[in-house]
Structure formats: structure tokens, C-alpha cells
Amino acid sequence: MNHGTKIPKNHRDAALAYAALGIKVFRVRRSKAPYANCPRCDKGSSIYVKHRPEECQCGVSTCHGFWAATTDPALINKWWTEEPDANVGAPCKLNGWAVLDIDPRNGGYASLTALEQRVGVLPGTITQITGGDGLHILYQAPAFDLPGQPFPGIDFKHNGYILLAPSVHASSNRYQWPGDGLFRKPTTPWPAALLPAKERRAVPQQRPVTRRHSFPTARTAGRPGGGRMWTVEDLVQHVMDGREGERNNAFFFAACRAHELAEQNLISLGEAEGALMHAAAAVGLTDSEARNSFDSAATRPSDRTWAA
């Protein structure tokens, strides 16, 4: 049974407590930035030696950011003795985690509400309150990479890292494990409903939850001439589901639909534009590629016979 572990308030002791549970941790600056690489690992240096971060043999224990993470108590003691107030970072993928990072400053809670209205309530798991009044929702990682920022205010943290309690945010608020304050390793798999389309398995569909409140971008947008009903979230998902080599086309399709629906006052064009630009970045399109496609969609003649 996962009873949980009380995490000390002292940063060094907290890092040691996580390491004792088998969680790799590393030292992070208050700015959230990892420590600088040595000259042999700095790509801008004249003596840079090309190598993969995970195969680094330079001997400098802080190089390559979260790749420096360790469970070695001697090294952890050394790091936090040198800098007692350094924050505690944990790489997601290296610890077998995938994390929903909810940022309220960019509409994360509204996006989470809309997401759960669409796919049903997400499976229960361990949650951390961030120093910025957001949430880290921790799951066990799937066996393949996830997109980075699929919705406004929500990041899928998989290849990156998060800070762990009792780290201190720029606001001076601490990260914390809510409720009883105990840390428990996540045991719940990443939700099947949030997997990329090609990786989804046949699973029973969850019944959408009836809410007493609504999210403004979840308004239903009707297809011209009837047929499929579209929302901003549908358009974002269309971009996210685009296959390799077809993502530009998927984005352009979604941009055209956004302009058509906005002309009918069915969605907000600004809202759709922001969401689609986030989705474009998540699937690997450059900002200029996405911007050119979105602007081109504004001048494309309306097509009343399109289909997804």
C-alpha cells in the first residue's frame, strides 16, 4: 500500500528523501534554469565535443540539466551543501513520469475544464500544487513521447522536468503536496484519452461529466450547411492528430475552419488563433510556418463541401 512519505522542508533533506525513494533529482536555480554546461559540453564553445547528453563523460556533475539527475546521496549532499537554497528538480521521463502542468496564468484551469467536458474526468492520481498556484498532475509515462503544449495553459511534461516540493517559486510561494502533505509515487497510467491518435487503444469511452458551469471556448460551432459540429478544441485536436508529413495540411485545414466559423460568429477568431498556434508548436511546426498558414487561410475562398 502506498502510504506516502513526509518530505522535509529543508531542500537538501527533501532531495535526499526523494532519492531514497528511487527518484532522480538535480539542483535547479531559483529562475528554474539548470546549471550551465562546462566548455566541453557547451555547443557555443570552441572546445565543444559533440556527444549525447545521456552519454556525457566530461566529469562535471551538473552538465546537461536534468540529465545530471541522480539518486547518489553523496552527490546530493555536495550539491545542496554548496547551495542550500537551490530548488529540487526531477526529470519526468527519466523517473517514468508524464505530467499535466496546469498554468492558471495562461488559462490552464479553463482548458482543463474543457478537456474533461470532452473526454470525461481524468483518472485520479497524485497532484502537486505549484508555487504559481497551478497544478502538476503526475501519471506513469507511456512508452512513447507526448506533445509539449496541446492546449492553452496546459503542458504535457514528458521529456522535460518539474520542480518538487518544497522548492520556491519566483512568487516566493512553495511547491507542496496537498492534503496530508505526503508524497506518493504515481501508479496511475497516462490517460488513454490523452494519447496521440495513432497510439490509442480500444478502451471503453468515459461518459462526459455534466458540469454546472461552462467554459467559453467549448461552444459548439456548426459546420456550414449542417453536418459535423466543431469547437475550438476539435480544431486543436485535428492538428494534434495529423500524421507525420501531413501536419501542415492538418493545420491549414483547421485554420480555414476557424476563419469560416468566426465569420459566422460561432467562435472567437483570436481564441482559435492562440489555441491553434500552441497546437502547431506542439506538433513541430515553426512559428513562421504556422503564421503563414493561418494568414493564408484568411484569404482562401470558402469551401462548403470540405470534410475532415
Side-chain angles (χ1 to χ4, degrees), residues 114-284:
L115 178 63
E116 290 197 318
Q117 284 179 333
R118 177 175 178 170
V119 304
V121 175
L122 298 178
T125 185
I126 182 170
T127 300
Q128 178 176 231
I129 300 173
T130 72
D133 293 325
L135 293 177
H136 286 154
I137 305 174
L138 281 69
Y139 291 101
Q140 290 183 336
F144 37 80
D145 290 343
L146 297 169
Q149 191 174 27
F151 307 103
I154 297 182
D155 283 352
F156 287 174
K157 291 287 185 68
H158 189 204
N159 290 317
Y161 63 91
I162 61 172
L163 298 185
L164 299 179
S167 295
V168 180
H169 187 262
S171 65
S172 298
N173 294 326
R174 288 187 179 273
Y175 289 70
Q176 57 183 306
W177 302 109
D180 55 13
L182 300 180
F183 168 76
R184 300 170 176 85
K185 286 186 175 183
T187 58
T188 305
W190 181 259
L194 301 185
L195 295 176
K198 64 180 180 179
E199 305 291 354
R200 291 177 194 154
R201 300 292 182 265
V203 295
Q205 292 295 313
Q206 294 175 289
R207 185 181 300 275
V209 177
T210 301
R211 303 278 184 178
R212 294 183 179 179
H213 56 282
S214 62
F215 171 49
T217 63
R219 290 172 295 171
T220 301
R223 166 181 169 175
R228 177 173 177 174
M229 306 297 285
W230 289 88
T231 66
V232 172
E233 288 74 30
D234 290 330
L235 297 177
V236 167
Q237 191 62 50
H238 184 73
V239 175
M240 300 301 298
D241 289 345
R243 298 177 182 176
E244 188 73 33
E246 299 178 2
R247 288 167 181 165
N248 268 308
N249 290 337
F251 180 85
F252 185 65
F253 174 92
C256 290
R257 304 294 74 75
H259 283 286
E260 290 178 2
L261 296 170
E263 288 172 2
Q264 301 173 71
N265 295 318
L266 293 171
I267 63 173
S268 161
L269 184 61
E271 181 179 71
E273 179 181 3
L276 289 175
M277 292 300 288
H278 280 303
V283 299

Side-chain angles (χ1 to χ4, degrees), residues 78-91:
K78 177 179 181 295
W79 280 346
W80 271 274
T81 298
E82 292 173 351
E83 294 188 56
D85 293 331
N87 280 329
V88 182

